[in-house]
Amino acid sequence: MLAIPTPRIHQRLKQVLVLASGSALAAIILTMWVTEYLPPYLRWPLVVLLVVLVSIVWVSVLRRQVVELVEIPLAQCVEAAEAIADGDNSRRVPVGQTHEFAQLATSINRMTEQMLAATQSRMRVEKLATMGRIAAGISHEIGNPVSAIANYAHLLRMRTSDVPGTTEPLDALEREITRIDRIMRGLLDYARPRRLTPKPIVVDEVIEDVVRLLDDQGIVRRFRVSRGLEAPDGIVYAERHDLEQVFVNLLLNAVDAMDREGDVVISSRINDAESITEAIDKRRTDPSPQRWTHRPSKRALAWLARPESPSRFLQIVMADSGTGVAPEDEERIFEPFFSTKQPGKGTGLGLAIVASTIENLGGTIWVQRAREGGAAFVILLPLHSGSSGLLAMTSGERAAVS
């Protein structure tokens, strides 16, 4: 269905003036025809009176048009801008009836969303720096006592191996010590900077290896994992271990979101900024009239609006048929220690590590409702500038590079 273009202000006012001129001319002609047999001293005053009345009516109509087309939309823009300046980031400018104010409202709303995304990004960076300092302190203040407790628990197990009733509490003690250690390691992985040695990586091959690894371990065997990897030239500059950790965490998150069975769909393709901005992506399995439409998140729009963002990039989508993510949690789910799982089922650091890793690679990630009914995590990564040379390699040579 074609969208009807909004008219411009001068077009609407021109229509009013044309109608006013035509009405005045028609009124003059009609009055002169009706008063044709009246004497001139009565005829011309009637004509002038009718012209004045018609002019008054059309001036009031023109005034009303100016108020509706200019003054009210302008007042709404000023009011919304003042509210946004006062900190009301949820405020948006209503789209006007004319092209000029519709374009102005769209620009102000887009600027507000990008400003909000930039503020959230800055807050994440500040939080990351704070957590880095906290993690350094935790590793020293808590790491050593936890190691001592683990050693004492191991010693206690050796000395009480023949004492009945001690095995169960010692198992629980060691299990909780392991959980503390896992939380600490996850926090350090999220917060502390590491010396990186990146190199060109074929992402599709990493995804295949991760799926094969988890399948060999029996983690995804009871789930149907479909792969639509269509980016053999999707090469990014990264550390292979970091990418493996990203896809392992996302797959484990999808498995946890489903009960005993379900579907996981992983797809990759080379995309461009224009198609992402339009937020229209058509899947091969959809009938031609249907389109899979999603609007990128605020963080994705802010990423696309950056001057350094590439025009073409690698897009990876990992979708599942699980419980999905509530709209109010779509941003919070990437915060450290935020988890929708039951207590004790997770540390709340998996997706935070994923988001931190993707952002360190110069990309972005967001979550949205999947066609399968669950959550769809969308990743955008900049392509390696030397990808064209790597494309000429054989698969074995690229594997050696990776």
Side-chain angles (χ1 to χ4, degrees):
M1 182 177 180
L2 296 176
I4 301 176
T6 53
R8 296 181 178 273
I9 294 176
H10 69 86
Q11 292 175 339
R12 293 284 295 271
L13 295 181
K14 184 187 297 184
Q15 292 174 357
V16 174
L17 290 175
V18 169
L19 289 175
S21 302
S23 300
L25 181 61
I28 292 173
I29 295 174
L30 179 63
T31 303
M32 293 184 68
W33 180 71
V34 171
T35 60
E36 180 181 0
Y37 300 103
L38 293 178
Y41 68 89
L42 291 178
R43 183 182 185 187
W44 289 109
L46 288 175
V47 171
V48 172
L49 178 61
L50 187 59
V51 170
V52 170
L53 291 177
V54 170
S55 300
I56 291 174
V57 170
W58 279 107
V59 166
S60 66
V61 171
L62 182 62
R63 168 62 181 168
R64 183 176 178 180
Q65 288 292 311
V66 171
V67 170
E68 291 182 355
L69 299 178
V70 180
E71 293 184 5
I72 292 179
L74 185 60
Q76 290 174 339
C77 290
V78 172
E79 183 182 358
E82 291 179 349
I84 294 169
D86 292 336
D88 184 6
N89 292 322
S90 62
R91 189 65 176 270
R92 297 293 182 270
V93 180
V95 178
Q97 302 179 19
T98 59
H99 174 78
E100 291 83 356
F101 280 102
Q103 193 173 24
L104 178 61
T106 302
S107 299
I108 293 177
N109 293 337
R110 183 182 176 188
M111 179 185 66
T112 303
E113 292 178 356
Q114 293 179 2
M115 181 180 65
L116 181 59
T119 301
Q120 292 174 345
S121 178
R122 186 176 68 252
M123 291 175 62
R124 287 197 300 272
V125 171
E126 294 173 353
K127 184 184 295 184
L128 181 61
T130 302
M131 291 190 63
R133 294 191 292 268
I134 294 174
I138 286 177
S139 63
H140 176 71
E141 298 296 334
I142 297 181
N144 292 336
V146 167
S147 298
I149 293 172
N151 292 332
Y152 284 127
H154 181 68
L155 182 61
L156 186 61
R157 181 183 293 278
M158 293 176 58
R159 293 183 177 181
T160 60
S161 58
D162 55 348
V163 179
T166 59
T167 302
E168 185 176 348
L170 284 175
D171 289 343
L173 178 61
E174 291 181 344
R175 184 170 60 250
E176 294 305 315
I177 291 173
T178 302
R179 184 167 181 266
I180 293 174
D181 182 69
R182 187 171 69 249
I183 293 173
M184 289 175 51
R185 291 181 184 276
L187 180 60
L188 290 173
D189 287 340
Y190 174 75
R192 69 182 176 188
R194 296 185 294 110
R195 185 180 298 275
L196 302 178
T197 56
K199 55 186 177 181
I201 303 292
V202 182
V203 178
D204 280 5
E205 296 176 2
V206 176
I207 295 174
E208 290 283 6
D209 291 343
V210 167
V211 174
R212 190 180 305 112
L213 172 67
L214 296 183
D215 185 59
D216 291 341
Q217 295 177 357
I219 297 176
V220 296
R221 285 183 182 175
R222 65 180 185 274
F223 302 98
R224 294 175 293 275
V225 181
S226 304
R227 297 185 290 282
L229 305 180
E230 303 175 359
D233 52 347
I235 300 173
V236 302
Y237 199 61
E239 281 203 359
R240 186 180 182 89
H241 170 74
D242 289 344
L243 290 176
E244 289 174 345
Q245 188 178 32
V246 164
F247 297 122
V248 166
N249 282 338
L250 289 177
L251 266 172
L252 293 179
N253 186 77
V255 168
D256 291 339
M258 297 179 288
D259 188 10
R260 296 183 179 179
E261 61 179 15
D263 296 298
V264 180
V265 178
I266 309 172
S267 62
S268 67
R269 57 176 293 191
I270 304 297
N271 213 334
D272 56 75
E274 183 179 356
S275 59
I276 289 292
T277 304
E278 293 174 356
I280 297 177
D281 187 12
K282 182 177 180 298
R283 289 190 176 182
R284 293 181 180 274
T285 57
D286 287 341
S288 55
Q290 299 180 7
R291 299 190 74 84
W292 182 46
T293 59
H294 289 286
R295 180 174 176 79
S297 69
K298 295 177 181 178
R299 70 162 63 192
L301 291 173
W303 183 83
L304 291 167
R306 296 186 312 176
E308 65 270 21
S309 292
S311 58
R312 297 180 73 249
F313 37 77
L314 176 63
Q315 175 183 329
I316 306 109
V317 180
M318 185 174 296
D320 61 67
S321 58
T323 55
V325 179
E328 61 271 17
D329 295 335
E330 289 181 352
E331 283 296 323
R332 296 190 62 199
I333 200 169
F334 298 108
E335 296 178 1
F337 300 115
F338 178 82
S339 178
T340 57
K341 300 176 183 178
Q342 297 179 358
K345 294 292 186 180
T347 63
L349 288 170
L351 291 178
I353 293 173
V354 168
S356 177
T357 302
I358 294 299
E359 290 173 358
N360 289 338
L361 295 176
T364 187
I365 182 173
W366 75 90
V367 64
Q368 60 194 24
R369 187 72 175 173
R371 191 188 64 174
E372 291 76 16
F377 288 88
V378 185
I379 299 173
L380 305 182
L381 288 172
L383 295 169
H384 178 46
S385 56
S387 298
S388 57
L390 291 173
L391 293 181
M393 297 181 178
T394 64
S395 59
E397 291 172 331
R398 287 205 305 269
V401 172
S402 299

